[in-house]
Amino acid sequence: MKICLLTSNPNPYDDRIYYKLARTLKKIAFVTIINPRFTSVNKDGIVIVGQDSVPSVSRSPWIMEQLKIINPEIIQVTEPLLLAPAIKYKSNHTVKIIYDPAEDWSAMYREFSRKPPPIPKLLGFGIRQYENWFLPQIDYYIASDDWLYNYYSAKGPCTLIYNYPNLDIFSIDLDSVSRSPFSCVHHGQLRKERGLFLMIHAMKLVTAKYPDATLDLIGDFSYSTEKEKCQRMITEFGLQENVLLSEPIPHVEIPGKIIQSSLGLLPFYNIDKFRNNIVIKMFEYSACNLPIVSFDLPPSRKYIKSINCGICVEPDSYAALAEGIMNMFENREAYSTYKSNGYNAFVEKYYWEAQEKQLLSIYPNLLK
């Protein structure tokens, strides 16, 4: 069986596409990842077909040529703008199409755009209409959270595969770790919608009471202007020793970095994107034995409350975030309970390999 994962993710070793989907599917198929934003490489038996920075206007013909060479039996599309070449290829070849968007793309276009109104709303509407044009040709859907499952299961056959951390990557000898006692961590894209500036404001309040408290921000800045603003705020607030800016690191190194801190932060804005989609970070914090302080949004609330692994505070409030952080620092009994509950949930249930059986059943059945 030949399976092709179609993506334009700027990270060729994306945690979901490479470390979860591709590594799992390699057990039953020959797996190729087509990524026009990367160079070709063969890693661990998974072939990544790329061509450095193929211009957007040239990607569809280039992707079509690669698909003709690979001749896959199943194409798994991860983004709406890549549906067109996959469906066009299907029109002349016997192939099944799986759509695995892993995001509410309409909300992302609408709420992450920096363009002036009403352009973001038009972009969100437009990408949804564009996606809808191709959905009748989709053979199967994979959803990574409840909102996506409810939405796409109404369009066709769909399976819910949560984006839990890999057990092999996140299994760490906890006894060998030395944590800073008053330390917080946040990793991923650094941008205002993910609470970047709220976290810095919160740390100003936290350090007034806990001068040695630290926040480790790990990841890429989405915009250079926001990086500059972040650096200015750190200087203006006198937090040069408290707020640490760490470069992005390979996925396999993330557990070793996260586990050095005491708290995991999820200060995402109260917007549709984060009210709808689960954020994988909370599972990774639990896997690293960290309690969570999160804004009170439905996906994080559902997880945190169900296993009692942290606290939810008022959304979009840096004062509430600071209060939640200090509450964790001060209530050591609750802190110990939260981190144990989260870690135990990870090793017992919330890990990727526990999802593999239902994932692997999709592809052979689709070809019957």
Side-chain angles (χ1 to χ4, degrees):
M1 181 170 28
K2 293 181 181 179
I3 300 174
C4 179
L5 303 175
L6 186 53
T7 181
S8 62
N9 192 305
N11 179 8
Y13 304 116
D14 175 73
D15 64 294
R16 177 174 175 82
I17 296 170
Y18 181 83
Y19 282 103
K20 297 184 176 75
L21 294 173
R23 290 203 309 165
T24 295
L25 293 174
K26 189 184 70 169
K27 298 177 181 180
I28 62 168
F30 178 79
V31 179
T32 304
I33 300 174
I34 292 181
N35 188 338
R37 300 176 67 174
F38 190 61
T39 53
S40 296
V41 66
N42 187 324
K43 180 177 172 62
D44 299 327
I46 299 166
V47 177
I48 301 177
V49 177
Q51 181 178 333
D52 275 331
S53 302
V54 177
S56 298
V57 294
S58 305
R59 285 179 183 172
S60 189
W62 179 83
I63 290 170
M64 287 287 292
E65 288 302 312
Q66 307 315 309
L67 289 172
K68 290 176 183 177
I69 294 170
I70 297 166
N71 190 27
E73 296 164 85
I74 297 174
I75 302 172
Q76 189 155 326
V77 184
T78 65
E79 304 157 36
L81 290 178
L82 296 175
L83 287 169
I87 298 302
K88 185 176 180 181
Y89 180 83
K90 182 181 179 181
S91 66
N92 293 307
H93 299 82
T94 302
V95 66
K96 299 292 185 179
I97 306 291
I98 295 176
Y99 188 35
D100 172 32
E103 304 278 1
D104 177 2
W105 285 87
S106 178
M108 286 184 64
Y109 273 76
R110 188 172 65 250
E111 296 171 336
F112 282 7
S113 173
R114 293 298 186 269
K115 297 184 182 299
I119 295 176
K121 287 188 177 180
L122 294 174
L123 289 173
F125 175 79
I127 198 66
R128 183 67 81 207
Q129 297 304 109
Y130 181 87
E131 179 189 73
N132 286 340
W133 179 264
F134 297 104
L135 294 190
Q137 300 300 316
I138 301 299
D139 298 288
Y140 206 89
Y141 298 90
I142 293 178
S144 57
D145 62 42
D146 297 333
W147 187 92
L148 291 167
Y149 178 76
N150 291 334
Y151 183 83
Y152 288 105
S153 62
K155 310 291 184 182
C158 183
T159 295
L160 176 58
I161 308 287
Y162 287 110
N163 206 16
Y164 297 145
N166 296 92
L167 189 63
D168 64 331
I169 294 175
F170 279 80
S171 292
I172 300 174
D173 179 7
L174 300 179
D175 294 332
S176 66
V177 177
S178 177
R179 301 179 191 265
S180 300
F182 301 111
S183 55
C184 309
V185 65
H186 173 84
H187 82 91
Q189 281 291 312
L190 301 177
R191 56 186 301 147
K192 68 176 184 180
E193 292 87 356
R194 295 177 180 265
L196 173 61
F197 305 127
L198 293 176
M199 286 187 285
I200 298 173
H201 273 287
M203 288 305 295
K204 181 182 180 183
L205 300 180
V206 171
T207 55
K209 188 172 184 179
Y210 295 94
D212 294 332
T214 59
L215 167 64
D216 196 1
L217 297 172
I218 308 167
D220 277 315
F221 284 87
S222 298
Y223 298 96
S224 59
T225 53
E226 293 190 353
K227 180 177 183 179
E228 293 165 3
K229 180 179 177 179
C230 174
Q231 293 170 331
R232 285 198 307 271
M233 289 177 64
I234 292 171
T235 301
E236 289 170 6
F237 293 167
L239 297 175
Q240 295 93 329
E241 301 299 320
N242 305 96
V243 179
L244 315 173
L245 301 180
S246 299
E247 293 293 326
I249 57 178
H251 181 64
V252 295
E253 297 177 15
I254 286 174
K257 184 70 170 175
I258 293 176
I259 204 168
Q260 296 175 25
S261 297
S262 298
L263 293 177
L265 303 186
L266 296 175
F268 300 131
Y269 276 19
N270 185 18
I271 55 179
D272 286 344
K273 170 68 181 74
F274 299 124
R275 283 192 295 267
N276 293 344
N277 297 144
I278 287 178
V279 180
I280 185 178
K281 275 55 177 178
M282 60 185 176
F283 303 124
E284 295 180 346
Y285 293 151
S286 289
C288 291
N289 206 25
L290 269 66
I292 300 166
V293 178
S294 172
F295 282 158
D296 191 6
L297 303 177
S300 52
R301 181 196 314 131
K302 178 181 178 181
Y303 172 72
I304 291 170
K305 298 299 184 184
S306 68
I307 62 173
N308 194 27
C309 64
I311 59 175
C312 295
V313 301
E314 179 187 350
D316 300 344
S317 168
Y318 66 82
L321 180 62
E323 188 67 28
I325 292 170
M326 290 187 287
N327 179 284
M328 284 289 200
F329 288 166
E330 294 162 4
N331 193 336
R332 303 312 294 178
E333 184 177 349
Y335 173 90
S336 180
T337 298
Y338 294 148
K339 74 173 188 176
S340 296
N341 288 346
Y343 181 75
N344 289 338
F346 163 67
V347 297
E348 293 169 6
K349 179 179 179 181
Y350 295 108
Y351 58 94
W352 173 255
E353 288 80 356
Q355 304 272 295
E356 285 189 335
K357 185 176 181 180
Q358 60 175 334
L359 177 72
L360 294 175
S361 69
I362 294 170
Y363 303 85
N365 289 333
L366 197 59
L367 296 176
K368 289 181 180 178

